[in-house]
């Protein structure tokens, strides 16, 4: 069996879902995508690991990227796909083989787009960044990512979500002194000392900056807490893991400075940080795209690979079929209507035709 | 090799230490103790599992129990024993084969004590109560534990420690609602809600009741805290484990009521509870004992098996060689002088002789 790019977008989504491709197992789906695209004479196809790049080279004034990842989170009793009335259900229907199917349909059928297009179907988005196909390509062949604008077809309920917030994880630690619980006054309870950390967090008021007309709401939350030695020992250490989501008007360094000041007096260790991405809606290709898909734009709160494009100097938005609330969910599904809608609107944009 | 009860108390302690008897491995040491006591005609010896009971039956007005456990915590690179100047070092020297050696010396040599004596050397004190030799005997042969007074030779620096505090462990839990950390306002952070629990604990003021002339200082401490799902998820559950040490003027039910009121508004689950023991220093045998060993009495903060005697209606105190701070410690040791002192003072008390 091989992929049939002449099938409708719903059948093509189901076919992609039914090739199991949990992260690090993308060989077969990448093979199928490569074999389906290779014969198309209007595309220049190249393969990099399990990432496939297909480009038009029409000498257009602008180039756009349309990208989707081929991998999924692990199977959760939700594979293969089933069509259930107006919903296609199963692992990857929403995140994001519906988007991949739209990409493949456009790649196969829009032979003369108004912008040059780089279609990108990449591996390992759901796991550590070191395996991420987009990251690997940015290291090995950054020229292939050059563009004026990028669309990442992550599920966004078929609405444009622009930019993304940055994320910073820190460990805030208190220390004390152990003692037998029967003589607790000889020790110093590190868990009790974590109380004011939680009190500060409970009183946190989120900043809500407006950037390019979009309101971003930040967040500062304990996502984990650990402390304790044994039920008869006064604990000498307590660690609160805190995650900060920061709007794209702040750099990682500014976000870190904010968090350190917020927890002044405590030991703060940075565990992980990823920058946000500005919406970038002021570039002409982005404006035209937003208009073509209906004009409504929401801010993106979750971190996605649009930040990678942003870091490369390419404005990027999320736009894809499926409710993101059902990504990584056992009951993952995508509305058939959104698959059709996304294909129709992107086709109109790339062909300059009517909507 | 068999135990030589005519050896001095230091050599006998070393010999007991050198029979490895980590909990549930007391067969050999119990054999040795039984064989050493069996020939002594002034004692009635019986065995119950790996617990040995040896009783005088002289028809005295009062009966006293002198008890010690034969097991130790696991080996920690501190076995067998070494004599290091005026310290005997090694696993069990302090907790509590020094006390066991004193018991065996007295059992062997005090043939006509002024009170009838029940010597008790028992198994499995360091592990779950279900294996505890004293507990098992209280179920199978409670008659053998009948007495007017009991001395438990747990390490107490050769000073009388009377009574013991009760201990109550509870889990105090907060709940919330999960959400993606990028949209934290859609969730409810259970860890943040634990802040006031820790604040209450930090403000706790210990009750210090005076009981039979001894001041007991209570304690209420977080001994563990856990919460969190993943670094990108708002946590929906946080549990604080709290340990309460309560003075022996309160029952377990009263202690539980106090803790539930202290954490009013939170979900409180009782994990474990053990009653305390009143000092019981008003009974004549106890008074005479305290006088015989020097008159100084301290309150016992840690929970010990004296509470089991108390529950059986037998007043009990801790009195034994070794600093309890070194029990369960890699550098466990007992001062030779305390071994000698404990034997001398108990002998004087049991024989009515001069100190």
């Amino acid at each position: 069996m091989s992929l049939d790019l002449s099938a409708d977008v719903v059948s093509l989504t189901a076919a992609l879902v039914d090739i199991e491709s949990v992260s690090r197992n993308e060989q077969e789906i990448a093979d199928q995508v490569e074999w389906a695209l290779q014969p198309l004479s209007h595309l220049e196809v190249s393969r990099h690991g399990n990432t496939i790049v297909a480009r038009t080279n029409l000498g257009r004034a602008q180039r756009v990227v349309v990208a989707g990842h081929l991998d999924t989170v692990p199977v959760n009793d939700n594979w293969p796909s089933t069509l259930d009335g107006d919903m296609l259900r199963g692992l990857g229907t929403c995140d994001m083989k519906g988007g991949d199917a739209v990409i493949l349909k456009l790649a196969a059928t829009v032979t003369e787009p108004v912008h040059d297009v780089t279609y990108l179907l990449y591996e390992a988005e759901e796991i550590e960044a070191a395996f991420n196909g987009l990251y690997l390509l940015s290291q090995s062949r950054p020229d292939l990512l050059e563009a004026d604008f990028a669309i990442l077809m992550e599920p966004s309920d078929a609405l444009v979500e622009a930019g993304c917030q940055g994320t910073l994880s820190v460990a805030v630690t208190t220390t004390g002194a152990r003692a037998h619980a029967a003589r607790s006054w000889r020790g110093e309870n590190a868990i009790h000392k974590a109380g004011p950390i939680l009190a500060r967090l409970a009183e946190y008021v989120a900043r809500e900056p407006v950037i390019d007309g979009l309101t971003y709401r930040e967040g500062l939350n304990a996502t984990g807490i650990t402390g304790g030695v044994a039920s008869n020992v006064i604990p000498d250490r307590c660690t609160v893991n805190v995650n900060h989501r920061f709007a794209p008007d702040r750099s990682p360094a500014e976000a870190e400075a904010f968090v350190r000041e917020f927890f002044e007096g405590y030991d703060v260790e940075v565990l992980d940080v990823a920058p946000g991405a500005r919406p970038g809606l002021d570039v002409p290709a982005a404006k035209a795209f937003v208009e073509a898909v209906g004009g409504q734009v929401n801010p993106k709160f979750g971190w996605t690979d649009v930040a990678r494009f942003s870091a490369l100097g390419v404005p990027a938005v999320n736009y894809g079929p499926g409710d993101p609330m059902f990504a990584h969910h056992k009951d993952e599904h995508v509305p058939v209507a959104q698959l059709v809608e996304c294909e129709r609107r992107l086709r109109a944009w790339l062909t300059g035709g009517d909507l």
Side-chain angles (χ1 to χ4, degrees), chain A residues 28-350:
Chain A
E28 187 190 345
I29 197 168
D31 286 349
Q32 293 280 345
V33 167
E34 185 184 13
W35 296 336
L37 293 174
Q38 198 71 66
L40 303 172
S41 59
H42 64 286
L43 296 174
E44 177 194 3
V45 178
S46 61
R47 180 163 180 161
H48 315 266
N50 289 324
T51 294
I52 311 297
V53 182
R55 296 156 56 94
T56 65
N57 290 300
L58 299 164
R60 303 293 193 226
Q62 297 199 309
R63 174 174 290 278
V64 298
V65 169
V66 186
H69 61 81
L70 292 170
D71 63 322
T72 69
V73 295
V75 179
N76 185 13
D77 205 16
N78 56 359
W79 185 87
S81 65
T82 53
L83 184 61
D84 174 16
D86 55 2
M87 289 290 174
L88 183 66
R89 300 186 181 275
L91 175 67
T93 48
C94 170
D95 188 11
M96 56 177 285
K97 291 180 176 177
D100 295 336
V102 171
I103 293 171
L104 289 171
K105 287 297 294 178
L106 297 172
T109 57
V110 181
T111 53
E112 297 208 337
V114 297
H115 309 299
D116 268 315
V117 186
T118 302
Y119 299 102
L120 197 58
L121 291 140
Y122 64 102
E123 63 186 321
E125 191 267 350
E126 298 289 6
I127 55 172
E128 310 92 281
F131 299 106
N132 185 299
L134 202 50
Y135 163 75
L136 294 175
L137 207 57
S138 74
Q139 301 298 303
S140 64
R141 290 292 306 276
D143 57 298
L144 290 179
L145 296 176
E146 282 169 14
D148 299 285
F149 179 57
I151 297 161
L152 194 60
M153 296 205 66
E154 288 278 0
S156 64
D157 247 341
L159 297 172
V160 177
E161 294 188 332
C164 83
Q165 300 216 97
T167 176
L168 170 67
S169 290
V170 301
V172 187
T173 300
T174 59
T175 54
R178 288 191 195 186
H180 195 288
R183 297 177 182 269
S184 53
W185 54 92
R186 292 189 178 175
E188 194 185 345
N189 195 314
I191 295 177
H192 296 187
K193 291 164 83 176
I197 295 172
L198 303 187
R200 287 188 203 178
L201 284 168
E203 285 161 17
Y204 166 79
V205 178
R207 206 170 64 97
E208 302 193 19
V210 177
I211 306 166
D212 292 359
L214 301 177
T215 302
Y216 286 85
R217 182 165 170 182
E218 297 188 327
L220 188 68
N221 276 278
T223 54
I225 187 165
T226 52
V229 178
S231 66
N232 61 353
V233 177
I234 302 304
D236 59 350
R237 191 174 181 84
C238 182
T239 297
V240 187
N241 287 320
V242 175
N243 180 257
H244 179 40
R245 299 292 171 136
F246 55 97
D249 63 337
R250 280 192 175 166
S251 69
E254 288 167 336
E256 181 182 336
F258 163 74
V259 168
R260 288 193 182 278
E261 191 186 332
F262 189 87
F263 291 116
E264 202 184 342
Y266 291 93
D267 177 51
V268 174
E269 181 195 0
V270 172
L271 303 175
D272 188 49
V273 64
R278 287 187 157 266
L281 297 176
D282 48 346
V283 297
K287 280 186 185 161
F289 171 74
V290 168
E291 199 171 303
V293 298
Q296 189 182 340
V297 182
N298 295 320
K300 182 70 179 177
F301 293 106
W303 195 93
T304 77
D305 271 338
V306 300
R308 289 188 204 282
F309 285 107
S310 183
L312 292 167
V314 182
V317 300
N318 296 282
Y319 173 76
D323 181 344
M325 298 292 282
F326 288 97
H328 304 195
H329 195 288
K330 188 177 176 176
D331 184 29
E332 189 171 343
H333 58 261
V334 67
V336 164
Q338 288 192 3
L339 293 172
V340 173
E341 163 91 352
C342 284
E343 184 191 354
R344 186 176 66 87
R345 289 193 177 266
L346 282 171
R347 182 183 304 281
W349 174 58
L350 287 177

